[in-house]
Each structure stands twice: as C-alpha cells, then as structure tokens.
Amino acid sequence: MDALKRPLFVPPEFSVYAEEKGVFHLYQSILSQLVIHKPKDPLTFIAQYLAKPTQDPPRLVVYGPPTSGQYTISKLAAQKLNVVHVNPQRLLVDEDTVTKEARDLQVAGKSIPPELWAQIIATRLEADDCTSKGWVLEGFPRTREQALALKAAGVLAKHFIHLSAPNNVLHERYSGKRVDSLSGDVYHLLFHPPDSSDVASRLIEEPNGKQAMMEGLDHYHRYSSPLLDCYSTVSKTFNADQPLDDLFEEVTSYLSSEPRSAAPHTPRILLLGPTGAGKTLQALHLARTYNIVSVDARELIRRTINSGSNDAVKMKPFYERGMMIPDDMVISLLSQRLSRLDATSRGWVLHGYPLTRDQADLLTKVAQAPNRVFFLNLPEDSVRERLSMRRLDPVTGDRYHLLFKPPQSQEIKDRLVIHPRDSESKVTARLSLYNSYIEDLVDCYPLAQHINADQDPLTVFECIESVLIRPATKQTSPKH
C-alpha cells in the first residue's frame, strides 16, 4: 500500500486470509496457553503447541441432575466427535498418590476438596490422547467452587451442555435405571436397553440408589444456578424430557455451531435477488446501521462511464449499445472499489453483481468473496406490482417509490416519471435473465440465507440483521 497515493488501496487478501485461517483465534489460543502454563521457554512451548495436529480440539462438559442422561449424551458425543470420554469417579481407581488421597477421603466419609478434584482431572486431561483428540467431561464440575478450581488449573471448556428435566420425569426415569455389574455402563430398561442378553443378565440396581438419587437431586437444585453462571458464555440448556435421538440431534447441532469470537470482523455482504426485491434499499439500511460501504455495481459502472477515464473509454461502446459489459472490465472496476481503504477497513455491502456463476467465481478469484450472502426472494407478481410504483425525478436523478419511499413534497411528486428501465418489456427481460442463472448462484453460495422480501422493508432488514449478528460458519467461499 502506497501511503502517498489517493485513494488508498489495501490488498483484500490480508483480511480474507486471516479470517479463513482463523489467525486471530490462533493468536488468542497461543496467548491463553502461555498464561495458563507459564513455560520457562515460551518460544519452544509455542513451537510444540503449533506442531500438534490440532490446536483447538473439542472440550465439552455435560452436566445435569441425576438420570437426565449425562452418561448417555457424554458417550454419544465422545463417539460422534472421536474424543476421550472422561468420568471423574472412574479416575479414582488409579494408584497414584493424588487419587489415593482422594479415595482415603471418600472412605473416611469426607468430601474431596475442589482443588484436589481439579488436580486429578487436569492431570488426566493433559494426557496426550486428550490434548490431541479433545475430551468430554461427564457430570463435573457440580459446584461453583469446583468450576473455579478447574479454571484455575487451566481446564477450560468450549461447550457446556446443561441437561434439564422436571423432577417427576427424573424420578420416573430412575425407576428403570440399571447398571452393568461388570463394565459399570448405565442403561435404562425402557429408553436405553442393552443390545445383548448377556449384558441384560448382568444389570442390577444401584446400591442405595434411591437415597443417592434424592441427595443428588437436592444437590443439583442447590448448586446449579451459581455453577451455570461460571459457564454462562459457553453453556446451553437442553430439555432432556424428549426422545434420545431428538435430544442428541440438538446437542450435535450446538456442538457444530461456531462460538462467538472477539476476532476483528470486516463484513463483506452480498445481496442477491430479482429486480425490485429491495436490494438497494436494504443496502442503504445496512450501510447506515453498521457504517459500511454500499456498492451498487450498476451505479458504479454509470459513474465510471461518465468520468471520462480510460475505463470509461473501454466500457462506453458496450454501454451505449445496451450490451453486457465484459466481465473482466467489471470485475477490475469492482476490485478497485472494494480494495479502497474505506471498504477494507469498515466492510462493504455489494448489490447488482454478480448476475452469473462465472461472475461469482471471478469475485472469489480477486479475493473479494463475501462472508455473508442473502437471497431476497420475491414472486414475479410482486416484482411487477412494486416496479409499477417506482418513479424517477428527472431533475435530480433521485429514485422514489410511491409506497416505500414517497417524495417529500407535491412539487417533486408532480414531476416524477416512470424510469425507462421499469417498462414492461425491460422488466420481463431482467426477470428472465435472473431466472436463468438463479439456480447456479444458489449452488454457488450454499450457505446463503434466503429472506422473504415480500414484506415490509423494515421487517426484511430485521431478518437480515438477525443473521448478521450470529457467528458466521467457516465455509464462506463459493463451491468449485
């Protein structure tokens, strides 16, 4: 970038690469690991950290009252994500000094201190299998103190799954709960029966299970609220009173979602839709609300042609004959505009381009792929009705709509005329062109959001805005 040249241009590859590769997130995770582990040799530690197959494996906690399905959901999640299933109680069978101290406390009828629990669990989660593949921690922590001790030990969950169900449902579930006397696996005679008769013959009721159930339920209601506050930014509550397949589908959807990130985000929004769908109006709303640059491809071409520049000389013959301007000329013009400092620093919303799959591919080729795409869908009947109410001020060149954007004075209203582009024949031609390419564009942007544009413009904007405030999925570029 030349600081002496105006307007300033910033290569778009900078922000696109950082966003696609998660550079900010990687930098953030490295800093967090340095703060947690405090290595004596930070550079060697960073090199070893970056050499791992993945720097951010799944880390989730499954928590809920007794018989809410903690074990089953943890086991299914571990299989689905191919991570390590960690049950704190099973860790106590190890013969090291720390777990022996914990067992001795249990035998003496004393509770294990949160710091000791955190030490035991942190040691297990720092093993190679957990650090490389990730982990799911079942039923722990159960108090705020245990949660804080885990965080102090460097155990940070990416997702906290809270299973919730009414007390009467939990009691009903307990009546069918059984445990495999050999493996310790948990089953339910109705909801999760064993697959083999051998396992069924080994099933027993938990010793003192009913008393433990009552105590566990009381403990849950007493400590769950302050515990959930510790994980408020990464937790989600699920209704456990539903079929297991439905519950796990909801959990899987949550685990596959992108968490909110503090990474700098430059909006690159693309609005697509038929003529009259309101792309220009929605782009104006977005530009005003989020202080981003609105780029109307058609208006940009008209201004360029009227400027008398070298680009104008090349484009003018095509424009005057009513022909399509070659894609390489248009993409060069758009790339220059979208690379200006205002667009690269604040973000942009583009409309009026692309019209075809080839044009969409060209946008990606010049590193101007959008990270949010919206199709504003509108039936043809509504398109013709809307365009019949559009008007043009021949004096100022301003465009109005008798319903959505009426003129501010009678004087302006009296001189309004129908824009030549809104004639019946030209509207039909534009609709025909859009319909011939719409399927290719939908296929090109599989993660695009489809908005019903046949409603009040402010309602349409609210629909767009509700998507913009959610984290974007990682696959934002078109398919090839």
Side-chain angles (χ1 to χ4, degrees):
M1 183 174 69
D2 186 356
L4 302 178
K5 185 178 180 180
R6 294 293 188 274
L8 294 177
F9 291 95
V10 179
E13 293 85 358
F14 291 171
S15 61
V16 173
Y17 178 85
E19 184 176 309
E20 289 182 351
K21 304 301 181 182
V23 172
F24 182 88
H25 180 71
L26 177 61
Y27 177 72
Q28 191 178 40
S29 63
I30 290 174
L31 283 181
S32 66
Q33 291 298 313
L34 289 173
V35 171
I36 291 170
H37 297 282
K38 301 179 178 64
K40 293 182 180 180
D41 186 356
L43 293 180
T44 301
F45 177 86
I46 292 174
Q48 294 173 347
Y49 179 73
L50 294 175
K52 294 179 179 179
T54 175
Q55 284 77 45
D56 195 19
R59 305 185 306 274
L60 57 141
V61 173
V62 179
Y63 167 76
T67 70
S68 61
Q70 299 169 80
Y71 169 79
T72 304
I73 294 298
S74 298
K75 184 177 180 180
L76 291 175
Q79 294 173 348
K80 176 77 173 180
L81 301 174
N82 190 29
V83 299
V84 181
H85 180 188
V86 178
N87 182 298
Q89 291 297 332
R90 296 183 183 180
L91 297 180
L92 298 182
V93 301
D94 293 340
E95 295 300 329
D96 58 64
T97 304
V98 175
T99 53
K100 184 178 184 303
E101 179 184 353
R103 287 200 306 272
D104 292 342
L105 288 172
Q106 281 190 328
V107 171
K110 299 179 181 179
S111 60
I112 301 175
E115 293 75 14
L116 183 57
W117 264 127
Q119 185 180 353
I120 294 171
I121 293 175
T123 300
R124 176 65 186 93
L125 299 184
E126 289 172 358
D128 290 341
D129 57 347
C130 289
T131 56
S132 61
K133 296 165 57 177
W135 46 263
V136 50
L137 182 57
E138 175 198 341
F140 195 92
R142 306 202 66 81
T143 67
R144 176 181 174 83
E145 290 72 24
Q146 291 174 346
L148 295 177
L150 276 183
K151 290 187 176 183
V155 178
L156 305 177
K158 287 179 61 179
H159 297 91
F160 189 95
I161 299 170
H162 173 219
L163 305 177
S164 177
N167 284 358
N168 61 325
V169 172
L170 298 174
H171 284 292
E172 182 181 351
R173 283 190 176 185
Y174 173 75
S175 63
K177 182 180 178 182
R178 297 294 186 271
V179 179
D180 186 338
S181 58
L182 182 61
S183 66
D185 290 341
V186 180
Y187 294 91
H188 193 281
L189 298 180
L190 179 61
F191 304 118
H192 183 46
D195 296 329
S196 69
S197 57
D198 290 340
V199 176
S201 65
R202 300 196 302 262
L203 297 184
I204 60 173
E205 294 187 23
E206 288 182 304
N208 302 320
K210 189 172 183 178
Q211 179 65 26
M213 164 71 179
M214 298 300 295
E215 292 177 356
L217 197 55
D218 179 68
H219 186 281
Y220 166 80
H221 288 300
R222 181 178 301 177
Y223 295 103
S224 61
S225 181
L227 170 62
L228 292 173
D229 287 342
C230 291
Y231 293 97
S232 59
T233 59
V234 295
S235 68
K236 184 175 178 62
T237 299
F238 296 88
N239 177 23
D241 185 19
Q242 59 178 314
L244 178 61
D245 291 343
D246 295 342
L247 172 60
F248 187 61
E249 184 178 351
E250 290 184 10
V251 171
T252 302
S253 177
Y254 166 62
L255 294 177
S256 63
S257 64
E258 291 296 317
R260 291 192 178 277
S261 171
H265 174 69
T266 303
R268 300 190 303 276
I269 304 169
L270 176 61
L271 299 182
L272 298 170
T275 179
K279 300 184 292 295
T280 302
L281 181 59
Q282 297 303 327
L284 181 61
H285 285 319
L286 289 168
R288 289 176 175 174
T289 304
Y290 294 101
N291 191 31
I292 60 180
V293 178
S294 175
V295 179
D296 184 338
R298 294 167 302 183
E299 183 63 26
L300 182 62
I301 291 172
R302 284 193 290 267
R303 290 182 180 178
T304 302
I305 290 175
N306 293 331
S307 67
S309 62
N310 291 334
D311 289 334
V313 174
K314 297 176 183 178
M315 293 181 179
K316 198 167 185 179
F318 297 95
Y319 186 79
E320 290 178 342
R321 292 180 175 88
M323 301 170 59
M324 292 282 290
I325 297 176
D327 289 341
D328 58 341
M329 296 184 185
V330 179
I331 202 65
S332 175
L333 187 64
L334 279 174
S335 181
Q336 293 178 41
R337 180 63 190 92
L338 298 180
S339 297
R340 288 187 187 177
L341 186 61
D342 58 348
T344 54
S345 60
R346 290 156 43 197
W348 47 260
V349 52
L350 172 65
H351 53 108
Y353 191 95
L355 302 177
T356 68
R357 173 64 182 264
D358 290 340
Q359 293 175 351
D361 291 339
L362 283 174
L363 266 182
T364 303
K365 188 176 181 180
V366 296
Q368 298 293 358
N371 50 26
R372 287 290 202 282
V373 180
F374 296 91
F375 283 91
L376 304 184
N377 299 324
L378 192 66
E380 287 195 15
D381 291 343
S382 299
V383 168
R384 298 180 189 280
E385 181 181 353
R386 282 192 179 187
L387 296 187
S388 66
M389 303 183 72
R390 290 207 308 199
R391 297 292 186 271
L392 173 70
D393 186 342
V395 176
T396 64
D398 294 336
R399 299 173 67 178
Y400 295 91
H401 192 281
L402 299 182
L403 180 60
F404 301 132
K405 187 185 175 183
Q408 299 176 349
S409 68
Q410 187 63 39
E411 180 184 358
I412 297 177
K413 185 177 181 179
D414 292 339
R415 66 175 185 244
L416 295 182
V417 298
I418 297 178
H419 197 288
R421 293 185 73 250
D422 293 340
S423 65
E424 181 69 22
S425 60
K426 292 191 175 181
V427 169
T428 300
R430 294 204 302 276
L431 284 175
S432 177
L433 178 65
Y434 177 78
N435 291 331
S436 63
Y437 290 109
I438 178 61
E439 291 185 3
D440 288 340
L441 287 173
V442 170
D443 181 64
C444 185
Y445 297 110
L447 299 180
Q449 299 293 320
H450 291 259
I451 306 294
N452 176 20
D454 194 13
Q455 50 187 334
D456 181 81
L458 291 180
T459 303
V460 175
F461 177 70
E462 289 175 356
C463 294
I464 295 175
E465 194 174 33
S466 68
V467 176
L468 286 177
I469 63 176
R470 296 200 302 265
T473 51
K474 288 185 178 180
Q475 183 187 350
T476 53
S477 58
K479 296 190 302 182
H480 293 279

